[in-house]
Amino acid sequence: MNLRLALLMICLVSAGFCSAQTAPIFNVRNYGAAGDGTTLDSPAINAAIAAAAAAGGGMVTFPAGTYFCGSIHPTNNLTLCLSNGAVITASKTDIDPAETSAFAGYQDYGHSYFHDALIWGENLTNLTFAGPGEINGNGNLTTQTPAAGQGDKALCLVLCSHVVITNLTITRGGHFGILANGCSNLLVSGAQILESSSRDGFNLISSSDVIITNCTITGSDDAMVLKSDYALGLKINSQDIHIVNCQILSTENNALQFGSETVGDFRDVTWSNIGIGGAGKAGIGITSQDGSVIDGVTYDNITMTNCACPVLLKLDSRTTGSPNPSVGRIRNISLNNVTAYHSTLFGRTNTATIDGYNTVPIENITFNNVNLSTIGGNPATAVTNYPVQNGNWTPDSMGVRPSFGWYVRYAGNISFTNCQVHFDNNDDRPAVVTDTVTNILFSNFKADVGSNNTNYDLDFLNTSGYGAVNDVATAAAPSPGATLRVNAGNATPALIVSPPHFSPGDGTYSAAQSVAIASGTPGAAIRYTMDGTTPTPTNGTLYSAPVAISQETILLAVAYADGMTNSAVNTAIYNFPGTSLSLASPPVTQTNVTFAFEAENLPYTTNGAAAVLQNDANTSGGHWLALEAAGLGPSISYTVTNIPAGTYDIQMSWKGNTQRGIITFTLDGTVLGSDLDQYSATQVYPVTDYGIVTFTNNANRVIRLAVVAANNAATGYWISTDRFVFTQLQPGLPSSPRIGTVGLSGGNLQFSGTAGIPLASYYVLVATNLALPPAGWTVVATNAFDAGGNFNFTGVVNADAPKQFYRLECPLLELP
């Protein structure tokens, strides 16, 4: 992944060069915007944007106020900055009409058209939407086909690159809070996309190189969904997508979802550290309807409640989604540390399901420490139910399953390790039913057993090669600890090798990792691949020592042993974002002065609980401060001293864990952002950005953190605080570094300069075509300015190239 913004481009043709200019700030009030909630402000806002475009780019700012708008048209190299208290609301009669589309017949109206949006951009680059303000559809954006002058999307981006969306709140967005189609290099951080009273939260369609982090996303329909449709008239694949540290809820549909529009392929997708508060259909849904190959996906540390179906993997064939319909594939999927509680919503409840398509199986799916609790309540006679094989991707369409825990059909190489299934109400169906499956392993599997289930717990039908190893009944069963009973109908047992596991596991890393791979089967050999091909006992590298990984990598591994059936292929994805990207603090087009305050060093007062210093080498300074609250109400107030007047971006670092509460963040008596849930199933160290605040005088500032609620899964109410960062923002872009000398020496290009950002990193990129997008340039050097801001570069020139263009890229925001 390479998410960067360029401050300077050096275009070297012979010995010439050109450099970018400093961009100014454009206040929409200076262009006639009233911000009174009734005056149509979009003409003034678009005039401010046009002025920024004429200047080569810049920041368009929205002071506090309500801006009543028709369609807003962003341009290249632009930041739209909504101050605290600034709200853009939608008109019902001034939204742009939908454009003409030759491909509207392949997907519904909302997916087919892009210009009928409150804010829309097409073929743009270097675009930032910054909060803490709000985009609010105002009840005027429809969830259906729009009337004349009406829109159905809050924010729509098509074929855009290098986009940052940070700390915005989007509400009542109509059909879509955000629809992004065909985009690349997209960072969404700290956003609140609240569409539970409208329709879809965030549709990410046919897009690549994406990070979505520290967001709250809700929808009445799909919440956070990855799709690939035919609205742009071609099949576009998606890859390198990472959704991390988010809270997701869908009241009527799917929470974390692939599809249903699935024309292009998906690979290299990770979902991690996510809390799901509800799903009317699937909590985790992977469906391929239109020929999509979904290959290389991982889920880690997912907790869900109130999801009608915890997990659904389904492969179908739909003939209307593209001009060349086909049956896709679902393979190489890994779920680790997933927990589901109270699996029902609106009276719907469905067994977790893997369902391939007749002769096309779903393959190489591994589950590790996946613990599902379903509603139950069905009799033993339901074991005769045979789910309908259909082209419908919804969990309800298959009817009541013959098992309460898992139903697996048309699948191969499936592994459950250290997994559990439970029910809330007595259920006399077996825990598991498999049908037309090849090689499936249940190892250290635990299941509830119904009080009237006198038959069996694991039912293998038409299954070639099943393994049941150390599978026992839970403490809630009539006979706790008893071996789970197996029924085999036209099925054969097999000794199946335990799948490989990885240490460290997959995730997002800032430094190279040495990954050890091992199998639970003693003496098993392991082969692995890093190029996307499927390893087998004869394909891939034979594992002998930890594997060094330093760049975006899908690591696939298989374990095998003489006289045994090969394991399922396990998948781990290692993500290394560009070093100029901070997941918690994306680049902004402003210079800055940073004030950092360790929580343990600040004066503080407490109410209702004691504050205790904690030690942790993973936190800033090696310490963090805990308010050991035992319930709702306690608070801690910090005094941050001597903050000069100015405009600041406010951030808080903290430590997440199981015993955390939900807190409100108040600055000088004003609540910033949404309530923050500090619960995490594992130790995490996030940074929350509370947006941009302006101080009119030099003064001390008071931050108050108060416990207002707790996650259902939390074991306590503690507040954690590591440090606060106040980043002062100044008008304009940093001035460009100055080039001193440019020349050739011994066949090498040399150039040097001054006035860079002291000690900041920079990158040198090269291309033979100046018109290439940023992603098409090749990095040839990574270095840092010295303490005086000076730099030097020496590089080999390609003698066969008629022209070579060099580009110097610098991060715009560096935290200390």
Side-chain angles (χ1 to χ4, degrees):
M1 176 168 292
N2 181 18
L3 284 162
R4 302 180 183 134
L5 298 180
L7 298 187
L8 173 69
M9 179 182 289
I10 310 164
C11 308
L12 294 168
V13 184
S14 300
F17 67 90
C18 63
S19 63
Q21 301 298 311
T22 300
I25 288 179
F26 302 84
N27 188 323
V28 296
R29 295 294 182 96
N30 295 336
Y31 291 83
D36 59 11
T38 57
T39 303
L40 187 68
D41 283 332
S42 45
I45 292 168
N46 285 324
I49 292 172
M59 175 178 285
V60 173
T61 61
F62 294 73
T66 300
Y67 299 88
F68 181 66
C69 293
S71 290
I72 295 171
H73 308 129
T75 56
N76 291 327
N77 306 313
L78 178 74
T79 293
L80 294 181
C81 182
L82 279 70
S83 301
N84 196 22
V87 182
I88 295 174
T89 65
S91 166
K92 196 172 183 177
T93 57
D94 298 283
I95 302 297
D96 291 347
E99 70 276 28
T100 300
S101 173
F103 311 105
Y106 294 109
Q107 55 281 312
D108 69 24
Y109 184 98
H111 292 83
S112 297
Y113 301 99
F114 310 117
H115 295 181
D116 52 346
L118 176 56
I119 303 174
W120 67 268
E122 193 166 345
N123 289 301
L124 301 179
T125 189
N126 291 339
L127 184 60
T128 296
F129 300 90
E134 180 179 345
I135 300 170
N136 190 323
N138 197 31
N140 290 330
L141 298 176
T142 182
T143 59
Q144 305 299 322
T145 301
Q150 187 178 34
D152 68 348
K153 306 169 185 70
L155 175 59
C156 183
L157 301 171
V158 184
L159 298 171
C160 294
S161 65
H162 294 83
V163 177
V164 174
I165 301 171
T166 177
N167 302 312
L168 273 180
T169 296
I170 298 176
T171 62
R172 305 176 74 187
H175 193 159
F176 306 95
I178 299 177
L179 185 148
N181 194 326
C183 293
S184 63
N185 284 279
L186 173 65
L187 171 65
V188 184
S189 175
Q192 311 289 315
I193 307 168
L194 308 177
E195 297 298 308
S196 58
S197 63
S198 295
R199 197 165 169 183
D200 287 19
F202 189 169
N203 275 212
L204 182 66
I205 304 174
S206 303
S207 295
S208 295
D209 301 320
V210 178
I211 291 179
I212 301 167
T213 180
N214 295 318
C215 294
T216 299
I217 305 172
T218 68
S220 68
D221 204 322
D222 291 323
M224 182 64 247
V225 57
L226 308 186
K227 298 179 179 177
S228 178
D229 59 26
Y230 205 71
L232 296 175
L234 69 165
K235 172 181 175 177
I236 302 176
N237 296 334
S238 303
Q239 64 180 11
D240 195 0
I241 299 171
H242 307 282
I243 300 98
V244 58
N245 297 336
C246 292
Q247 297 294 317
I248 311 290
L249 179 144
S250 169
T251 57
E252 292 285 347
N253 213 329
N254 303 291
L256 315 183
Q257 174 70 9
F258 288 84
S260 70
E261 291 79 8
T262 42
V263 177
D265 299 338
F266 297 86
R267 69 183 301 273
D268 189 5
V269 179
T270 65
W271 312 74
S272 60
N273 301 327
I274 294 174
I276 303 174
K281 294 178 183 172
I284 293 174
I286 306 177
T287 62
S288 176
Q289 302 287 113
D290 307 309
S292 173
V293 176
I294 303 173
D295 186 342
V297 180
T298 64
Y299 298 81
D300 293 278
N301 299 318
I302 312 294
T303 300
M304 66 182 86
T305 58
N306 301 311
C307 295
C309 182
V311 180
L312 175 70
L313 281 68
K314 197 168 191 295
L315 186 60
D316 287 310
S317 178
R318 180 165 56 187
T319 61
T320 58
S322 73
N324 299 298
S326 62
V327 179
R329 299 291 189 275
I330 298 174
R331 60 194 179 208
N332 299 325
I333 313 292
S334 171
L335 287 83
N336 301 283
N337 305 312
V338 175
T339 303
Y341 302 97
H342 193 62
S343 299
T344 185
L345 193 64
F346 298 137
R348 306 171 191 160
T349 182
N350 291 284
T351 300
T353 299
I354 302 173
D355 193 30
Y357 182 78
N358 293 333
T359 58
V360 181
I362 292 173
E363 299 177 290
N364 287 322
I365 315 297
T366 61
F367 301 89
N368 178 56
N369 193 29
V370 174
N371 187 337
L372 308 184
S373 181
T374 60
I375 296 303
N378 280 270
T381 54
V383 74
T384 61
N385 292 357
Y386 189 84
V388 176
Q389 179 76 30
N390 57 34
N392 190 321
W393 56 274
T394 62
D396 270 352
S397 69
M398 296 175 66
V400 176
R401 317 299 196 267
S403 49
F404 75 83
W406 283 95
Y407 178 71
V408 183
R409 179 172 62 180
Y410 304 128
N413 297 320
I414 311 295
S415 175
F416 293 84
T417 305
N418 300 318
C419 296
Q420 302 180 39
V421 291
H422 306 273
F423 45 66
D424 295 352
N425 303 290
N426 184 76
D427 197 301
D428 294 320
R429 293 173 295 174
V432 172
V433 170
T434 73
D435 187 357
T436 317
V437 173
T438 302
N439 298 336
I440 185 166
L441 173 64
F442 290 85
S443 178
N444 296 313
F445 186 79
K446 295 181 179 180
D448 287 355
V449 177
S451 59
N452 297 311
N453 178 5
T454 59
N455 297 312
Y456 44 82
D457 307 303
L458 305 175
D459 188 14
F460 299 107
L461 304 176
N462 307 309
T463 296
S464 176
Y466 66 85
V469 181
N470 298 325
D471 301 334
V472 299
T474 66
S479 300
T483 299
L484 294 179
R485 299 160 298 171
V486 171
N487 179 66
N490 191 30
T492 56
L495 294 175
I496 302 176
V497 177
S498 180
H501 56 269
F502 309 97
S503 180
D506 63 355
T508 298
Y509 293 94
S510 59
Q513 299 296 306
S514 180
V515 179
I517 313 175
S519 167
T521 300
I526 296 171
R527 285 190 182 268
Y528 66 91
T529 63
M530 303 166 66
D531 60 0
T533 60
T534 300
T536 69
T538 58
N539 176 58
T541 302
L542 182 65
Y543 178 79
S544 59
V547 181
I549 298 179
S550 59
Q551 61 184 2
E552 187 81 22
T553 300
I554 303 176
L555 180 60
L556 302 174
V558 65
Y560 55 96
D562 290 342
M564 301 182 70
T565 299
N566 302 339
S567 76
V569 172
N570 203 1
T571 304
I573 299 176
Y574 295 85
N575 174 37
F576 297 83
T579 55
S580 64
L581 169 68
S582 168
L583 292 185
S585 51
V588 295
T589 52
Q590 297 171 299
T591 58
N592 63 85
V593 177
T594 297
F595 301 87
F597 303 91
E598 296 295 332
E600 64 270 18
N601 296 331
L602 289 173
Y604 66 83
T605 60
T606 63
N607 178 42
V612 179
L613 183 67
Q614 308 287 329
N615 299 321
D616 190 329
N618 293 309
T619 59
S620 176
H623 307 285
W624 60 280
L625 201 63
L627 181 73
E628 297 182 337
L632 305 185
S635 64
I636 183 168
S637 296
Y638 296 92
T639 299
V640 183
T641 57
N642 300 321
I643 297 295
T647 299
Y648 294 82
D649 181 74
I650 311 295
Q651 296 179 329
M652 179 179 73
S653 304
W654 49 281
K655 178 182 177 180
N657 211 331
T658 55
Q659 78 279 38
R660 301 291 191 265
I662 297 174
I663 67 171
T664 294
F665 184 106
T666 303
L667 176 64
D668 291 346
T670 299
V671 174
L672 298 186
S674 300
D675 291 345
L676 172 65
D677 189 349
Q678 291 194 326
Y679 167 81
S680 174
T682 59
Q683 295 186 42
V684 294
Y685 302 88
V687 178
T688 298
D689 195 309
Y690 284 96
I692 297 171
V693 176
T694 299
F695 302 132
T696 58
N697 62 315
N698 301 344
N700 296 342
R701 304 293 166 188
V702 176
I703 296 173
R704 180 174 180 268
L705 309 177
V707 181
V708 295
N711 189 296
N712 289 339
T715 59
Y717 296 85
W718 283 23
I719 290 175
S720 72
T721 319
D722 183 11
R723 75 169 182 168
F724 302 101
V725 175
F726 286 53
T727 302
Q728 187 175 22
L729 307 178
Q730 306 290 346
L733 291 167
S735 59
S736 300
R738 291 192 293 271
I739 306 298
T741 59
V742 178
L744 294 173
S745 175
N748 293 331
L749 170 73
Q750 295 182 330
F751 62 83
S752 61
T754 60
I757 303 171
L759 305 180
S761 59
Y762 68 84
Y763 311 85
V764 179
L765 302 91
V766 66
T768 57
N769 180 1
L770 185 61
L772 282 175
W777 293 62
T778 301
V779 176
V780 293
T782 300
N783 212 326
F785 300 105
D786 66 19
N790 305 307
F791 61 97
N792 295 278
F793 169 76
T794 300
V796 178
V797 176
N798 181 358
D800 297 325
K803 297 179 181 179
Q804 282 185 255
F805 301 92
Y806 286 80
R807 175 190 186 105
L808 187 68
E809 289 191 353
C810 315
L812 297 184
L813 178 62
E814 289 277 328
L815 291 177

